[in-house]
Amino acid sequence: MQKILTIRTDKRNGLYDITHEVVSVIRESKVKTGIASVYVRGSTAGIMIQENWDQSVQNDVVTLLRKMIPHGIWEHDRQDDNGDAHLKAGLIGASETIPVIDSGPGLSTWQNIFLCEFDGPRERREIVVTVISDNQS
Amino acid sequence: MQKILTIRTDKRNGLYDITHEVVSVIRESKVKTGIASVYVRGSTAGIMIQENWDQSVQNDVVTLLRKMIPHGIWEHDRQDDNGDAHLKAGLIGASETIPVIDSGPGLSTWQNIFLCEFDGPRERREIVVTVISDNQS
Amino acid sequence: MQKILTIRTDKRNGLYDITHEVVSVIRESKVKTGIASVYVRGSTAGIMIQENWDQSVQNDVVTLLRKMIPHGIWEHDRQDDNGDAHLKAGLIGASETIPVIDSGPGLSTWQNIFLCEFDGPRERREIVVTVISDNQS
């Protein structure tokens, strides 16, 4: 089963928790054991598994990446002024694969799934969730 | 087929080779061609494919991440004093997907699978291995 | 369905667009909905989803990683003088999983699939593409 989620983002850099939406797709798929692939369509965003106790780790991710990859010093900036966004996206990666266990997500207590926006705000970010069973014919 | 491996870690930061355990699950699954998803449950650890000729690359990974992401300067440290561990985990990622070829792992000679511990020691880290065949009904 | 692509690289550090070859495997597989796992065999290379409008982002990726991970200062350099290549590979990761939508790749307009070479030139880099349907028995 496959579904495309759409998310609105309201900051240039920010993490958006999409766990609830991904879990809904897993439940709807009726897959008991397998995997769920979570993929963001767009080369200036990424997918990260991270804690969501409060806003602190999300802020720290933005701070760290801003320090590692400053804005405005890249060859690509001459085109779009978003070279930093592409580099952050490449480093974090466009996909994560999480296990499906007992018809639910195999996340631990402190693991949530985040869309990482690096070039927002955007009216519409698309995330493709594909759920696949390990139950072979 | 899906199995949960449990690993004990004895350092705050360290890489632990889990190739043997993952390969056992692949063999047991009887899947001939497909993929094996390797996922760590916990937002202060990651999965990395890396060389295991000796300890040197593993030490270098720890050294690099300590330099890139120092301890004690993050907003999240006010809660748990482990902001650095969360950031390292987010950068490395919670999952890797390796191919299954001829009923075995599709690793090259110098590729091993490592659990990356960033907030140990821990009595029990859980790694979920899910093997899926490409053989469709 | 699974295929191994072979790519020749001509630089020590460089990104090589393999989108066309991966899409060919997806089309040949006849899978309508599912995932394609792209995996590089070798612990000094990685797989990255990135824009390919022109050479700029690819150059920026090489520049960023050279700055973050300098050559010649690692413990592993005493063996192979390529400690930096292993660290870059570990950070970028050996695999990406992209969705298959309507019998084609679920990439967005600006997403291409790249082999990242960090220890070239190499006569032969092997990339394993495994396509798996979500259509269960």
Side-chain angles (χ1 to χ4, degrees):
Chain A
M1 183 186 172
Q2 190 175 68
K3 276 224 167 168
I4 300 185
L5 311 172
T6 56
I7 305 287
R8 205 177 66 84
T9 64
D10 58 359
K11 282 174 282 213
R12 180 151 204 274
N13 289 276
L15 273 65
Y16 296 84
D17 195 325
I18 57 171
T19 312
H20 183 77
E21 290 84 346
V22 174
V23 170
S24 293
V25 180
I26 291 174
R27 301 256 182 242
E28 206 186 325
S29 77
K30 309 281 186 196
V31 166
K32 203 176 161 233
T33 309
I35 55 171
S37 162
V38 182
Y39 181 89
V40 61
R41 286 166 50 88
S43 55
T44 54
I47 300 292
M48 186 186 288
I49 308 295
Q50 195 50 274
E51 184 178 301
N52 193 8
W53 166 260
D54 63 9
Q55 191 65 33
S56 63
V57 179
Q58 301 166 54
N59 291 344
D60 287 335
V61 169
V62 171
T63 302
L64 170 69
L65 290 173
R66 187 177 291 139
K67 216 174 70 172
M68 280 170 53
I69 306 173
H71 175 259
I73 62 167
W74 307 103
E75 192 180 322
H76 186 69
D77 292 337
R78 281 176 246 162
Q79 271 100 46
D80 287 338
D81 197 33
N82 68 352
D84 61 323
H86 283 285
L87 292 169
K88 291 170 183 176
L91 214 60
I92 299 306
S95 69
E96 282 290 338
T97 300
I98 67 166
V100 175
I101 304 178
D102 290 338
S103 308
L107 303 166
S108 68
T109 314
W110 303 111
Q111 283 183 318
N112 284 55
I113 307 166
F114 288 93
L115 165 71
C116 302
E117 173 64 82
F118 300 125
D119 195 26
R122 298 280 179 117
E123 273 308 308
R124 187 187 168 82
R125 283 287 193 190
E126 292 183 352
I127 297 125
V128 189
V129 182
T130 311
V131 191
I132 295 184
S133 169
D134 75 336
N135 189 18
Q136 303 304 322
S137 59
Chain B
M1 183 186 174
Q2 188 175 69
K3 276 223 169 169
I4 300 185
L5 311 172
T6 56
I7 305 287
R8 205 178 65 84
T9 65
D10 58 359
K11 280 175 283 212
R12 179 150 205 274
N13 288 276
L15 274 64
Y16 296 83
D17 195 326
I18 59 171
T19 312
H20 183 77
E21 289 84 346
V22 174
V23 170
S24 292
V25 180
I26 292 174
R27 301 257 181 242
E28 205 186 325
S29 77
K30 309 282 187 196
V31 167
K32 201 174 162 235
T33 309
I35 56 171
S37 162
V38 182
Y39 181 89
V40 61
R41 285 165 52 87
S43 57
T44 54
I47 300 292
M48 185 186 287
I49 308 295
Q50 195 51 273
E51 184 177 301
N52 192 8
W53 166 261
D54 63 10
Q55 191 66 30
S56 63
V57 179
Q58 301 165 53
N59 291 344
D60 287 336
V61 168
V62 171
T63 302
L64 170 69
L65 290 173
R66 188 178 289 140
K67 216 174 70 173
M68 280 171 54
I69 306 172
H71 174 258
I73 62 167
W74 307 103
E75 191 179 322
H76 186 69
D77 292 338
R78 280 176 248 162
Q79 271 100 48
D80 287 338
D81 197 33
N82 68 352
D84 62 324
H86 284 285
L87 292 169
K88 292 171 183 177
L91 215 60
I92 298 307
S95 69
E96 282 289 339
T97 301
I98 67 166
V100 176
I101 305 178
D102 290 339
S103 307
L107 303 165
S108 68
T109 313
W110 303 111
Q111 284 183 319
N112 284 56
I113 308 166
F114 287 94
L115 165 71
C116 302
E117 173 64 81
F118 300 125
D119 195 26
R122 297 281 179 117
E123 273 308 307
R124 187 188 169 81
R125 283 288 191 189
E126 291 183 352
I127 297 126
V128 188
V129 182
T130 311
V131 191
I132 294 183
S133 169
D134 74 337
N135 189 17
Q136 302 305 321
S137 57
Chain C
M1 181 184 173
Q2 189 176 68
K3 277 224 166 167
I4 300 184
L5 311 172
T6 56
I7 304 286
R8 205 177 66 83
T9 64
D10 58 358
K11 280 174 283 212
R12 178 149 206 274
N13 289 276
L15 273 64
Y16 295 84
D17 194 326
I18 58 171
T19 313
H20 183 76
E21 290 84 348
V22 174
V23 170
S24 292
V25 179
I26 291 174
R27 300 257 182 242
E28 205 186 324
S29 77
K30 309 282 186 196
V31 166
K32 204 176 160 232
T33 309
I35 56 171
S37 163
V38 182
Y39 181 89
V40 60
R41 285 165 52 87
S43 56
T44 55
I47 300 292
M48 186 186 287
I49 308 294
Q50 196 50 274
E51 184 178 300
N52 192 9
W53 166 260
D54 62 9
Q55 191 66 31
S56 64
V57 179
Q58 300 166 53
N59 291 344
D60 287 336
V61 169
V62 171
T63 303
L64 170 69
L65 290 173
R66 188 177 290 140
K67 217 174 68 172
M68 281 169 53
I69 306 174
H71 174 258
I73 62 167
W74 307 103
E75 190 180 323
H76 186 69
D77 291 338
R78 280 176 247 162
Q79 270 99 49
D80 287 338
D81 197 35
N82 68 352
D84 62 324
H86 283 286
L87 293 169
K88 291 171 182 176
L91 214 59
I92 298 307
S95 69
E96 282 289 338
T97 301
I98 66 166
V100 175
I101 304 178
D102 290 338
S103 307
L107 303 166
S108 68
T109 313
W110 303 110
Q111 282 183 319
N112 284 56
I113 308 166
F114 288 93
L115 166 70
C116 303
E117 173 65 81
F118 299 126
D119 194 27
R122 297 280 178 117
E123 273 307 309
R124 187 189 168 82
R125 281 288 190 189
E126 292 183 350
I127 296 126
V128 188
V129 183
T130 310
V131 190
I132 295 184
S133 169
D134 74 337
N135 189 18
Q136 302 303 322
S137 58

